[in-house]
Amino acid sequence: MKKQPGWALPNLREAQKRTKKEAIIERSLFQIPVEVRDLGLGKKYYLRTYGCQANERDSETLAGILEELKFEAVETPEEADLILLNTCAIRKNAEDKVLGEIGHLKHLKDKNPDLVFGLCGCMAQEEEIVQIIVEKYRHINLVFGTHNIHRLPELLYEVMSCHKRSIEVLSKEGDVIENLPVRRFGKNKAWVNIIYGCDKFCTYCIVPYTRGKERSRYMEDILDEVRQLKAEGYKEITLLGQNVNAYGKDLKIEGGFARLLEEVAKIGIDRIRFTTSHPWDFSDEMIDIIAKYDNIMPFIHLPVQSGDNQILKIMGRRYTREQYLTLFHKIKDRMPNCAISTDIIVGFPNETEEQFQHTIELVKECQFDNAFTFIYSPREGTPAAAMEDNVSLEVKQRRLQELNDCWNEYAHEKNNAYLGQTVKVLVDGISKKNESILSGYTETNKLVNFKAKDAKPGDIINVKITECRTFSLNGEQV
Ligand code: SAH
Ligand code: SF4
Ligand code: F3S
């Protein structure tokens, strides 16, 4: 690939490095230079987010920066002077969606040569993808990664005022930048980052390469943010990290995530959630704190990935099937009403039918409330991508179907247990399917569509459940 002066391109080997150096906490790194203060005046931006909550939260920062530059948000790419795709690299189909969209929107750039068409997020951190973008998708004129969101004003200036193609992706362990602006998309529910990056290096996963090393925010910074959200009227916060259980280890914060959870709970915001918890370092103290505080929701996302010990070992998950089950039952014994969801990958390289059946047996034992199931997708640069794979796509698809049929049945059964019960629901808004119906989530994270009396978004109300489906509940406000 032809490197232009001023470009920085991603490098997977650099992205993999981990040193013992503590991450730098930057409190004044983000600045808007005088010459770009009005860059967006009279201009409109369209921002689309792919991927996980980390990307959702990053998009709120991107929107915050763009609005400080006086850009105005629009709902469709056709109206925009700036299109920005915040992308996800977790599986090939996630990437294909983005590449399809880039091709699909090319005509807008043909019509309007001044259009700024940008790509950021996890795909921008991938060597192979940026190479394709640079060479084949020439209408993309702005690329930046997850480590330099704060540079957006300068990068935009290069494109808009100097008419350059601007490509800057840093492959590094990462810092913690505390002074970024934010435009929250929700009025009642908010995301709160507590730890960035991931050091687990599960052998199939690209995230440790796209997001850098595990680095925690200081507890006081997090608590200040939560206090402010409460003062602004937010009802629910979700503490975010690729593995929230690792919170504080890098900063040697005593008590780690359990203590953070307790301090957040004491602030008294109505609902606290967290995601994601890696089963490996889920402590007993965490279970105690979740059980102790009513405002910590009885819902845990606990990805298992596989029910087979050999596969778990090759995945580098650091726990056995037995250890997972022990933790699962410990949580359930202590909090019988706690809902538990999971993630599962089928068709990991060379997974045998017997190994797959071990996963099915685990699902039958755990009877998860919800599951996110995926066919393994090789990610360039990860150890698993170099493993030869003897399982055909056909077999993988059949396994995925069998797995889905299995967990769906239990999820439906779990939901059936809600029939006739009255549950607390935080009202989100109007149901997608029927305008006379409102929707919201129970404490256990079940979607409820209900006939309202006087409820409005942001209220926490009682709803009597009248019908149970596999993926949602129906009811009436009482
Ligand atoms: N940090 C979280 C997971 C984030 S990625 C955790 O460890 O639980 C979300 C899910 O995507 C993972 O749990 C896994 O099930 C799935 N996933 C990750 N890499 C994948 C790959 N290469 N192919 C298929 N699924 C993958
Ligand atoms: Fe990926 Fe594993 Fe880290 Fe989760 S814990 S982000 S699956 S490497
Ligand atoms: Fe995707 Fe990056 Fe999240 S790869 S799942 S957006 S951390």
Side-chain angles (χ1 to χ4, degrees), residues 90 197-208 214 242-243 276 278 305 316-317:
I90 201 78
C198 182
D199 286 346
K200 294 287 178 286
F201 285 100
C202 301
T203 55
Y204 51 81
C205 184
I206 195 72
V207 173
E214 276 175 6
Q242 289 305 332
N243 174 21
T276 300
H278 189 297
Q305 313 298 359
R317 287 294 287 183

Side-chain angles (χ1 to χ4, degrees), residues 191-222:
W191 310 113
V192 177
N193 284 317
I194 64 164
I195 180 168
Y196 301 100
C198 182
D199 286 346
K200 294 287 178 286
F201 285 100
C202 301
T203 55
Y204 51 81
C205 184
I206 195 72
V207 173
Y209 307 80
T210 63
R211 292 272 170 184
K213 74 171 169 190
E214 276 175 6
R215 50 208 196 276
S216 304
R217 294 178 68 198
Y218 277 115
M219 198 178 283
E220 261 321 303
D221 290 325
I222 298 167

Side-chain angles (χ1 to χ4, degrees), residues 254-406:
E254 226 187 289
F257 183 56
R259 207 184 113 215
L260 175 71
L261 253 186
E262 176 153 40
E263 294 301 324
V264 170
K266 282 190 204 153
I267 291 174
I269 204 150
D270 296 80
R271 287 182 163 201
I272 298 154
R273 300 187 188 277
F274 54 91
T275 196
T276 300
S277 275
H278 189 297
W280 183 58
D281 44 8
F282 204 112
S283 66
D284 288 352
E285 290 75 26
M286 279 173 59
I287 302 178
D288 290 342
I289 299 294
I290 298 165
K292 181 173 164 192
Y293 289 90
D294 285 346
N295 59 346
I296 303 178
M297 295 297 100
F299 168 72
I300 298 171
H301 184 56
L302 197 65
V304 66
Q305 313 298 359
S306 166
D308 181 80
N309 278 335
Q310 187 59 25
I311 294 283
L312 285 171
K313 197 166 171 200
I314 311 173
M315 284 177 162
R317 287 294 287 183
R318 306 167 192 226
Y319 53 82
T320 61
R321 169 197 177 90
E322 292 73 26
Q323 285 166 327
Y324 182 90
L325 288 172
T326 302
L327 172 63
F328 181 95
H329 291 300
K330 209 192 290 179
I331 294 169
K332 284 283 188 183
D333 289 347
R334 187 72 192 275
M335 298 175 277
N337 69 333
C338 183
I340 299 185
S341 64
T342 200
D343 290 348
I344 297 172
I345 296 174
V346 302
F348 191 74
N350 308 312
E351 180 192 55
T352 65
E353 188 58 34
E354 193 188 351
Q355 290 171 327
F356 169 67
Q357 289 305 326
H358 289 157
T359 298
I360 294 283
E361 282 158 25
L362 181 134
V363 169
K364 286 183 178 164
E365 177 165 344
C366 295
Q367 308 190 0
F368 295 105
D369 288 83
N370 198 356
F372 300 88
T373 57
F374 313 101
I375 290 183
Y376 166 70
S377 170
R379 306 286 66 214
E380 179 82 17
T382 62
M387 295 176 197
E388 239 177 84
D389 185 7
N390 64 11
V391 189
S392 72
L393 183 61
E394 228 183 330
V395 168
K396 291 178 184 184
Q397 281 164 341
R398 200 265 302 143
R399 285 182 191 161
L400 184 68
Q401 190 58 52
E402 185 178 334
L403 176 64
N404 286 342
D405 290 346
C406 180

